[in-house]
Amino acid sequence: MENKIRVTVWNEYVHEKEDPATIAVYPDGIHRTIKAFLDPNEDMEVRTATLDEPEQGLPDDVLNNTDVLVWWGHCAHAQVDDGLVSKVIDRVRKQGMGLIGLHSAHHSKPMKGILGATGDLMWGDNVKEVVWNMLPTHPIAEGIPAAFTLESEEIYSEPFFIPVPDEQVFTAWFEGGNVFRAGNCYYKGLGKVFYFQPGHETCRSFYNPYVQKIITNGIRWAAPVKTCIKEETPYIGQGYFGGKKESL
């Protein structure tokens, strides 16, 4: 199939090598688990990248040939190179690359940088979670019921210090009463950003078919679209477009 969405699933890949509880759930790594359910999609070409690889898994030839970057991180946020973060943000804002942050990526450098917020939140132990579909006509919500249950997920709770989402697709309710903006969309420059909350390293959320469907839908939504806007375009007000002077 021509014009496949080029997806890179980035994972810091630390817990799966050190923590027995995580190894038991994701023995092949969270990145490979996500790749495994994305691979059957004929419109996607999926690769993985990890923090311990050369250039932290995202050398220019990989990053510049990624249409949608899926990001999972938790305990190694500080180890991500600031120069790489700047490149990721530029790829989103100036070239239209999609960015999908999963679970603890709310505190990742790319997500905090592009949203301009701390991403701080309240959190607690693993409990039952109900994910509510707030925008059933949104492309990311396609095929998702009004609500679905995850038997065990880490509590993420408001207040969640992020900008008001351009589109809030999902809200979470946790056993005990905590609520959370669990699926949030942003338009940043030429790119689109989606944050989705489920995916704690000791929970089986990435095996849930609805979670898998949401991530898959999110990739299709976040994929770049063809546009007449080019990075070198200065402005339109004085009759310039695409670097060439035109009569208005």
Side-chain angles (χ1 to χ4, degrees):
M1 181 178 181
E2 295 183 359
N3 300 320
K4 288 188 176 184
I5 304 170
R6 299 167 299 178
V7 182
T8 300
V9 181
W10 190 95
N11 175 23
E12 66 183 26
Y13 195 34
V14 175
H15 291 297
E16 302 97 312
K17 295 186 288 185
E18 299 177 352
D19 176 42
T22 304
I23 295 169
V25 179
Y26 298 108
D28 296 324
I30 289 172
H31 54 301
R32 295 192 186 100
T33 301
I34 294 173
K35 183 180 187 299
F37 70 73
L38 294 176
D39 275 340
N41 294 287
E42 294 183 356
D43 61 339
M44 296 182 190
E45 181 180 284
V46 187
R47 71 198 308 171
T48 63
T50 57
L51 181 66
D52 59 356
E53 294 175 347
E55 300 185 63
Q56 301 190 329
L58 295 173
D60 288 348
D61 65 321
V62 173
L63 185 60
N64 293 337
N65 288 285
T66 295
D67 295 319
V68 179
L69 178 60
V70 180
W71 192 282
W72 195 101
H74 179 215
C75 66
H77 295 317
Q79 296 179 35
V80 179
D81 181 76
D82 289 340
L84 174 60
V85 174
S86 295
K87 290 179 181 180
V88 169
I89 292 173
D90 278 351
R91 280 280 293 146
V92 175
R93 288 187 176 275
K94 298 180 179 180
Q95 298 173 327
M97 183 183 74
L99 176 63
I100 296 180
L102 301 176
H103 193 58
S104 293
H106 69 91
H107 258 166
S108 68
K109 288 183 179 181
M111 289 294 293
K112 291 197 298 183
I114 202 161
L115 296 184
T118 66
D120 291 346
L121 48 76
M122 294 181 65
W123 59 275
D125 294 335
N126 299 347
V127 298
K128 181 173 72 174
E129 173 183 355
V130 179
V131 179
W132 287 90
N133 185 346
M134 305 296 289
L135 283 177
T137 60
H138 195 281
I140 297 179
E142 181 180 354
I144 305 301
F148 65 92
T149 299
L150 300 172
E151 292 302 326
S152 179
E153 248 305 338
E154 183 179 28
I155 295 174
Y156 273 15
S157 178
E158 300 290 341
F160 184 18
F161 293 97
I162 56 172
V164 174
D166 293 320
E167 297 160 339
Q168 184 185 338
V169 188
F170 302 104
T171 294
W173 174 90
F174 294 87
E175 189 174 10
N178 300 77
V179 295
F180 189 71
R181 286 167 288 173
N184 311 309
C185 296
Y186 298 91
Y187 297 85
K188 295 294 180 180
L190 296 181
K192 290 175 280 187
V193 178
F194 177 53
Y195 170 77
F196 188 47
Q197 164 265 319
H200 184 59
E201 66 270 10
T202 61
C203 299
R204 296 185 58 84
S205 296
F206 289 125
Y207 297 106
N208 181 282
Y210 292 128
V211 170
Q212 294 179 357
K213 178 68 171 172
I214 288 168
I215 294 171
T216 303
N217 288 348
I219 289 169
R220 293 186 175 121
W221 170 82
V225 297
K226 292 182 179 180
T227 173
C228 60
I229 304 298
K230 300 183 183 298
E231 184 177 347
E232 67 272 15
T233 302
Y235 54 89
I236 297 176
Q238 297 298 320
Y240 286 89
F241 189 78
K244 298 180 179 179
K245 188 172 182 178
E246 303 287 352
S247 58
L248 296 181

